[in-house]
Amino acid sequence: AFIGATFVKIFSSILAPHDAIRLSNFIWISLTLVTIGLMTRELWGAGFGRQAGLIFIASIGLIFNVHSIRPEVATLLGFALALYGFALYQRRPFRASLVLGFGISIIFLSNGILSLLSIFITALSLLLIKQWRNKRYYLFCLISSIVSLLIISPWTVSYTHLRAHET
C-alpha cells in the first residue's frame, strides 16, 4: 500500500490514482521476474532463467491478477525472494539469509502473517534433511529472522502506537 501511495504521489499530475497504483504492479512483477530468473539460474544453471520467466509470464492466473490492485502481487515477489534465498543457501549463505529476510518482510507487510506459514514450514522441513542440519543453517535462519524483524518492527510498532491513540 505504501508503494502504491508513493506512485500516486509521484505520478498524480499525469496519471489517475488507480493507474499510478497499477504502475507499481509493474515494479513488483519486474522484480519477481528477475528473482525467478536468478532462482532458476541458481538451481538449474546458466541459461535457464529466461525460460522460467517466460513460463511465469504465460501463466493464466498471473495475467488475470496483475492488472488488478491487489497486495498479492507484492506477496508474489516476497515468495520468489524467499525461495531464491533457500536456493542460494548452499553457495552464498550470508547473501541468501539477507534475501530470505527481505522476502519474509515483503510477505508479512503485504499480506500478513498467515501467508508466512508456508515459508516457515519450508524452513522447518529442510531440517529433516541431514545436509541442512548444521550450524550454518541455524545461523542462516537467525540472520534471516533478524533482517526481517528489523524491517517489520518499525511498521508494527507504529501501527500499534496509532491504534492505541484511536481508542
Side-chain angles (χ1 to χ4, degrees):
F2 179 73
I3 301 295
T6 304
F7 270 67
V8 168
K9 194 83 155 161
I10 293 171
F11 296 109
S12 63
S13 62
I14 57 174
L15 291 174
H18 63 279
D19 288 333
I21 293 173
R22 283 193 190 124
L23 189 60
S24 72
N25 279 357
F26 172 75
I27 300 297
W28 294 120
I29 291 297
S30 298
L31 291 172
T32 303
L33 277 169
V34 169
T35 304
I36 287 173
L38 290 171
M39 177 178 51
T40 306
R41 185 177 184 179
E42 189 66 34
L43 293 173
W44 289 71
F48 288 97
R50 285 177 287 222
Q51 287 86 347
L54 289 173
I55 292 169
F56 175 72
I57 289 172
S59 64
I60 292 176
L62 177 70
I63 293 170
F64 289 132
N65 290 320
V66 78
H67 297 293
S68 60
I69 302 168
R70 303 173 63 129
E72 285 82 9
V73 177
T75 305
L76 189 61
L77 172 64
F79 278 114
L81 282 170
L83 294 176
Y84 177 51
F86 286 122
L88 190 61
Y89 163 74
Q90 296 293 336
R91 197 169 58 86
R92 303 241 188 231
F94 181 72
R95 185 179 301 169
S97 61
L98 295 177
V99 170
L100 178 60
F102 281 116
I104 288 171
S105 302
I106 291 172
I107 294 169
F108 178 79
L109 292 174
S110 64
N111 217 5
I113 197 161
L114 191 59
S115 298
L116 284 176
L117 216 55
S118 61
I119 298 300
F120 291 140
I121 290 171
T122 302
L124 290 174
S125 298
L126 287 172
L127 288 172
L128 298 174
I129 303 170
K130 187 177 180 181
Q131 296 165 326
W132 289 75
R133 271 191 311 254
N134 54 37
K135 288 181 183 179
R136 191 171 113 174
Y137 182 68
Y138 296 126
L139 186 63
F140 164 75
C141 290
L142 178 69
I143 293 171
S144 298
S145 300
I146 290 170
V147 168
S148 62
L149 285 174
L150 286 174
I151 295 170
I152 293 170
S153 295
W155 294 94
T156 54
V157 168
S158 64
Y159 176 74
T160 54
H161 182 71
L162 287 174
R163 295 289 293 177
H165 289 295
E166 279 184 4
T167 58

